[in-house]
Amino acid sequence: MIPRYTRPEMGRIWSDENRFRTWLAVEVAATETLAEAGMVPKTAAKAIRERADFSVERIHQIEAEVRHDVIAFTTAVAEIVGPDARWFHYGLTSNDVVDTAQALLIKQASALIAQDLERLAEVLERRAWEFKDTPMVGRTHGIHAEPITFGFKLANWYSETQRNIARFAAAAEDLRVGKFSGAVGIFAHLTPEIEERICARLGLKAAAVSSQVIQRDRHAHYLATLAVVASTLDKIATEIRHLQRTEVGEAEEFFSEKQKGSSAMPHKRNPITSEQISGLARVVRGNAQAGFENVALWHERDISHSSTERVILPDSTTLVDYLLSKTSNLIETMFVYPKRMMANLESTHGLIFSGQLLLDLVEHGVSREDAYRLVQAHAMQAWKEGLDFHQLVLADKEITGRVPRKQIEYAFDLQRQLKNVDKIFARVFAGDNTRGTMPRVPPKSSKSRSRMR
């Protein structure tokens, strides 16, 4: 089942045509390797390599009768190859072909996803540097906490994306395995050495041990990693949805001149892309659960995993490919409103500096309990009555009698709060992460989409 969101490259990978072509590549690699080992006539291997072909329509016709896709495939190929086809699929069981070919299909899909992850990282890096020094309020529990910068927020997403790049590479590599160990994995007809040679011919590693199938913990790990990637994208989209809320208004999805947000309310500019990302991420996470269920099969294999994987592997890889593309475009084109960020930061009249004032009081000999009591009393008054916290503090002789005015003013200094942003960026982008060496200077940014509002 291929989602309608499929971009051409990913759709081609999971098409019936490519799936059967990949099966054929596995069969030919096996036949040629067996011919080299003297187990199949070289003339037959040559004939199979040169003549082997199929029609997808013919495979489906045969499958409708025999109700076995691999038998339908081998029969359709044999009709074209002729007498030498008796050596086609020699010594193999269906899942020697299906599982090995599936590893190749996942390898193809993974290459696209790896490219998508790198593009997202590049976009996040560029926009992080663009807004490195753009102040905004940090929020915990949805409530104003202390100042940060918008670039800092983007750098955090970038760092998480680097971890996803490393996680995904490991999961994809773990699935780059094939098997030709037969109906129960005991090599009744071939040998481990032959298996290794066939896999090497296909650019795969041989599974150290398998039953009739490659063990599904590998697939569960892969699907779980896709779910983690999707969850990161959901996290980014959810944050942008919050920042676009009318009463926040600090960032916004790109909205074209011809775009419409509501059939009833012409003023609406809805975060539809972010909402799509959040919604589809749930599907990827649900598919991961199905992958976990596939790990426990009966004895040396049952077929309960097969039908599931025909849905969750194409769906999950396709959706993550789509979601990564949408998220990259979302970040690259979003509008950012620095003036609104500053207005929101200042809207609580200095309350966001209460933590620093608390520390300054402690440094000047006040117990932490008394310092907290003093600061909180003014903070709550400012909160409830809409007063200026800074002025309330300056009017309190109990505070000014302990802390010099210059020190109090410094407690309300925005740049003091942001003094380590450069060090954080150096740590994130200078190679101290899972990706490796990164540029030590800001990359050239594209045309800024920040707006004054």
Side-chain angles (χ1 to χ4, degrees):
M1 180 182 295
I2 303 173
R4 65 184 180 89
Y5 308 105
T6 307
R7 65 169 170 157
E9 300 95 323
M10 189 65 81
R12 181 196 62 78
I13 289 171
W14 294 112
S15 67
D16 284 347
E17 174 70 28
N18 190 55
R19 177 163 58 96
F20 293 135
R21 284 291 162 203
T22 308
W23 287 10
L24 187 58
V26 171
E27 294 275 12
V28 170
T31 301
E32 292 187 329
T33 303
L34 293 176
E36 291 172 356
M39 299 175 67
V40 166
K42 291 185 177 180
T43 54
K46 182 175 184 294
I48 289 170
R49 182 180 66 250
E50 294 176 352
R51 298 179 202 162
D53 204 353
F54 60 83
S55 159
V56 173
E57 182 180 359
R58 180 57 180 150
I59 292 173
H60 290 325
Q61 288 175 350
I62 299 170
E63 185 180 1
E65 297 176 359
V66 302
R67 295 178 62 82
H68 194 293
D69 54 358
V70 177
I71 291 175
F73 166 75
T74 58
T75 301
V77 173
E79 290 176 347
I80 296 173
V81 171
D84 286 313
R86 70 183 188 276
W87 298 104
F88 188 75
H89 199 67
Y90 180 79
L92 307 182
T93 192
S94 294
N95 274 281
D96 289 337
V97 177
V98 172
D99 266 14
T100 303
Q102 184 165 265
L104 292 171
L105 294 174
I106 292 171
K107 181 181 177 183
Q108 294 171 31
S110 296
L112 294 182
I113 293 171
Q115 292 172 6
D116 295 333
L117 282 164
E118 290 291 346
R119 177 174 178 247
L120 176 61
E122 185 275 327
V123 172
L124 287 169
E125 178 184 9
R126 177 155 35 85
R127 300 226 77 183
W129 283 102
E130 182 181 350
F131 298 107
K132 177 176 73 71
D133 299 313
T134 301
M136 68 181 298
V137 70
R139 298 171 172 91
T140 59
H141 306 277
I143 307 300
H144 286 202
E146 292 182 339
I148 61 172
T149 73
F150 190 52
F152 165 80
K153 189 184 292 287
L154 291 161
N156 214 337
W157 297 344
Y158 168 89
S159 187
E160 186 165 335
T161 299
Q162 292 306 312
R163 295 192 294 278
N164 281 334
I165 288 172
R167 277 190 282 258
F168 182 72
E173 178 64 18
D174 199 37
L175 257 179
R176 193 176 61 84
V177 295
K179 58 88 59 182
F180 294 89
S181 55
V184 293
I186 205 68
F187 291 102
H189 308 294
L190 301 181
T191 67
E193 292 78 13
I194 289 291
E195 178 186 65
E196 290 171 4
R197 288 165 61 185
I198 301 173
C199 286
R201 202 178 204 114
L202 293 166
L204 301 174
K205 301 172 294 183
V209 60
S210 59
S211 59
Q212 189 181 106
V213 296
I214 294 169
Q215 302 305 285
R216 259 44 196 180
D217 62 291
R218 297 177 185 269
H219 303 72
H221 177 211
Y222 183 82
L223 288 160
T225 303
L226 291 179
V228 172
V229 171
S231 295
T232 295
L233 306 183
D234 185 6
K235 168 184 177 176
I236 292 171
T238 298
E239 180 68 13
I240 292 174
R241 288 165 63 192
H242 278 299
L243 296 180
Q244 187 166 335
R245 289 163 53 213
T246 305
E247 58 270 29
V248 178
E250 295 177 355
E252 182 183 32
E253 288 183 11
F254 176 80
F255 196 91
S256 70
E257 293 181 0
K258 295 183 178 181
Q259 188 173 338
K260 293 177 173 59
S262 167
S263 62
M265 297 169 284
H267 72 278
K268 295 297 291 296
R269 294 164 67 99
N270 301 327
I272 57 171
T273 297
S274 296
E275 290 171 343
Q276 287 173 349
I277 292 167
S278 291
L280 291 173
R282 298 167 189 169
V283 178
V284 180
R285 289 194 290 267
N287 287 350
Q289 179 60 41
F292 297 143
E293 300 296 330
N294 286 344
V295 175
L297 303 178
W298 287 17
H299 305 299
E300 276 58 63
R301 185 247 179 160
D302 64 61
I303 203 173
S304 61
H305 68 288
S306 178
S307 56
T308 311
E309 288 177 358
R310 291 172 191 243
V311 176
I312 61 177
L313 288 173
D315 268 24
S316 292
T317 52
T318 299
L319 285 173
V320 169
D321 175 51
Y322 174 79
L323 292 173
L324 282 165
S325 177
K326 294 292 283 187
T327 305
S328 294
N329 187 62
L330 171 67
I331 297 299
E332 189 164 44
T333 63
M334 71 177 169
F335 299 127
V336 180
Y337 302 109
K339 286 186 69 174
R340 184 62 175 265
M341 289 179 174
M342 182 60 76
N344 286 341
L345 185 150
E346 294 174 339
S347 65
T348 55
H349 309 292
L351 286 179
I352 57 175
F353 299 105
S354 69
Q356 185 60 58
L357 181 62
L358 169 68
L359 296 179
D360 288 348
L361 281 164
V362 170
E363 288 177 6
H364 285 79
V366 181
S367 72
R368 184 175 180 85
E369 291 73 19
D370 287 343
Y372 198 101
R373 174 182 53 78
L374 284 170
V375 174
Q376 187 182 45
H378 293 305
M380 293 302 100
Q381 183 184 2
W383 184 287
K384 292 176 182 178
E385 300 177 22
L387 301 176
D388 189 302
F389 175 64
H390 188 183
Q391 294 304 315
L392 290 176
V393 169
L394 290 176
D396 187 332
K397 294 182 179 180
E398 192 173 358
I399 294 177
T400 57
R402 291 296 193 106
V403 182
R405 184 184 179 96
K406 183 177 181 181
Q407 187 72 23
I408 293 175
E409 296 294 347
Y410 191 39
F412 288 84
D413 187 335
L414 177 61
Q415 294 310 311
R416 181 184 186 182
Q417 297 289 310
L418 304 178
K419 62 182 179 296
N420 285 311
V421 169
D422 284 343
K423 292 181 180 179
I424 294 170
F425 267 61
R427 192 160 63 179
V428 171
F429 296 108
D432 294 337
N433 52 57
T434 56
R435 188 183 190 192
T437 303
M438 293 298 299
R440 286 168 170 75
V441 295
K444 294 180 180 179
S445 64
S446 59
K447 185 178 179 181
S448 174
R449 287 191 178 275
S450 63
R451 290 185 172 183
M452 307 306 287
R453 187 177 79 175

